[in-house]
Amino acid sequence: LIDWLNTTLKEEHIVVKSLEEDLYDGLVLHHLLENLGSLKLDVDKIALTEKKQRQKLSVILEAVAKCLQLEESQLKWSVESILSKDLLSTLHLLVAIAKHFEPNLAVPPNVQVETITIENTSRGLKTANAMEYITESKENLEAQSKDDAFDDLFSRAPDKLDAVKKAFLQFVNQHVGKLGLNVKDIESQFADGVILLLLIGQLEGYFLNLRDFFLTPASTTEMV
């Protein structure tokens, strides 16, 4: 990751020697995002006080989450953890940025660390050990590469799309047909989410409470 940062920021005359010490104030992250994603961030280049560093990191990390389309619950880092030079959070952040902007970067899979959480309780110190993955497992990477087969299908073999659609239609109707439904067009009939919900229910063997969703959504909000 350090080699990647220094190669990317070479023209900016930035040299990273330590992930903990060089990334916490947002300066390197600011240059990195502008360089990789052409993101123009409305923050000062240099933030000298802790208050300004916190404000700068807040803008930067918000831009990262938006660019990577990540929900708050998916974030493995925070303004406070980066500012406090937490290495694990910094690694998670850099790996996520690299995966998005440099998907071919040779980051080894299955990198994991053992984390030890120490809690001060009335009975003394309580410790808990856990393994945390920094990069994805080989199984996940292989699954993603299989997903790429659909991209290849769209780009290289559009003539086979109809055959694939027909196979999916047969599969869908085999299951939702038990509910008296018939799907003829995947794009239009799956757009409101109803068929998808009912299909999942049939595949997993449970009944979805009709109060949990709109069976006949009348607006985009209801579809969402």
Side-chain angles (χ1 to χ4, degrees), residues 2-15:
I2 289 176
D3 287 344
W4 168 62
L5 287 171
N6 288 332
T7 302
T8 305
L9 299 174
K10 187 176 181 180
E11 293 183 7
E12 307 281 343
H13 304 292
I14 291 174
V15 178

Side-chain angles (χ1 to χ4, degrees), residues 19-220:
L19 296 181
E20 300 100 306
E21 297 296 331
D22 295 341
L23 272 79
Y24 78 94
D25 61 358
L27 176 66
V28 173
L29 289 171
H30 187 179
H31 281 276
L32 180 67
L33 289 173
E34 286 195 336
N35 194 297
L36 290 173
S38 300
L39 297 175
K40 294 300 177 187
L41 302 173
D42 189 20
V43 289
D44 296 330
K45 285 287 183 184
I46 299 175
L48 296 176
T49 66
E50 187 177 319
K51 182 181 178 181
K52 288 196 172 183
Q53 288 169 355
R54 185 176 278 103
Q55 290 173 342
K56 181 172 183 173
L57 277 173
S58 181
V59 173
I60 290 172
L61 296 184
E62 191 176 326
V64 169
K66 189 175 180 180
C67 188
L68 274 57
Q69 298 183 327
L70 296 172
E71 299 291 333
E72 193 171 343
S73 60
Q74 296 174 287
L75 303 180
K76 295 180 179 179
W77 57 83
S78 67
V79 171
E80 295 305 321
S81 65
I82 300 297
L83 194 60
S84 63
K85 305 179 183 180
D86 181 90
L87 179 59
L88 194 58
S89 295
T90 305
L91 285 172
H92 278 308
L93 174 61
L94 287 177
V95 168
I97 293 173
K99 183 182 173 186
H100 181 80
F101 290 107
E102 299 278 354
N104 294 324
L105 187 67
V107 178
N110 292 320
V111 177
Q112 55 185 343
V113 293
E114 184 178 13
T115 60
I116 304 172
T117 306
I118 303 174
E119 184 183 354
N120 195 0
T121 68
S122 57
R123 296 183 179 181
L125 294 178
K126 178 184 176 184
T127 62
N129 293 37
M131 296 303 296
E132 185 161 350
Y133 277 95
I134 295 174
T135 61
E136 291 181 312
S137 65
K138 283 184 178 178
E139 291 75 16
N140 287 345
L141 293 172
E142 287 170 0
Q144 286 180 358
S145 66
K146 288 177 183 175
D147 291 341
D148 292 342
F150 283 101
D151 294 331
D152 289 341
L153 186 66
F154 277 93
S155 60
R156 300 180 189 178
D159 52 311
K160 295 180 181 178
L161 266 179
D162 287 338
V164 173
K165 283 184 181 179
K166 187 176 179 181
F168 274 127
L169 276 175
Q170 288 176 345
F171 166 73
V172 170
N173 284 320
Q174 178 186 346
H175 294 282
V176 299
K178 299 169 187 174
L179 300 173
L181 298 170
N182 182 42
V183 177
K184 293 181 180 178
D185 184 81
I186 287 178
E187 287 95 331
S188 62
Q189 287 183 265
F190 269 80
D192 61 10
V194 175
I195 296 292
L196 185 59
L197 281 172
L198 296 173
L199 175 63
I200 292 169
Q202 285 294 301
L203 292 173
E204 293 293 322
Y206 59 76
F207 179 76
L208 284 157
N209 194 318
L210 296 180
R211 288 177 299 181
D212 292 342
F213 69 103
F214 296 89
L215 192 58
T216 54
S219 66
T220 304

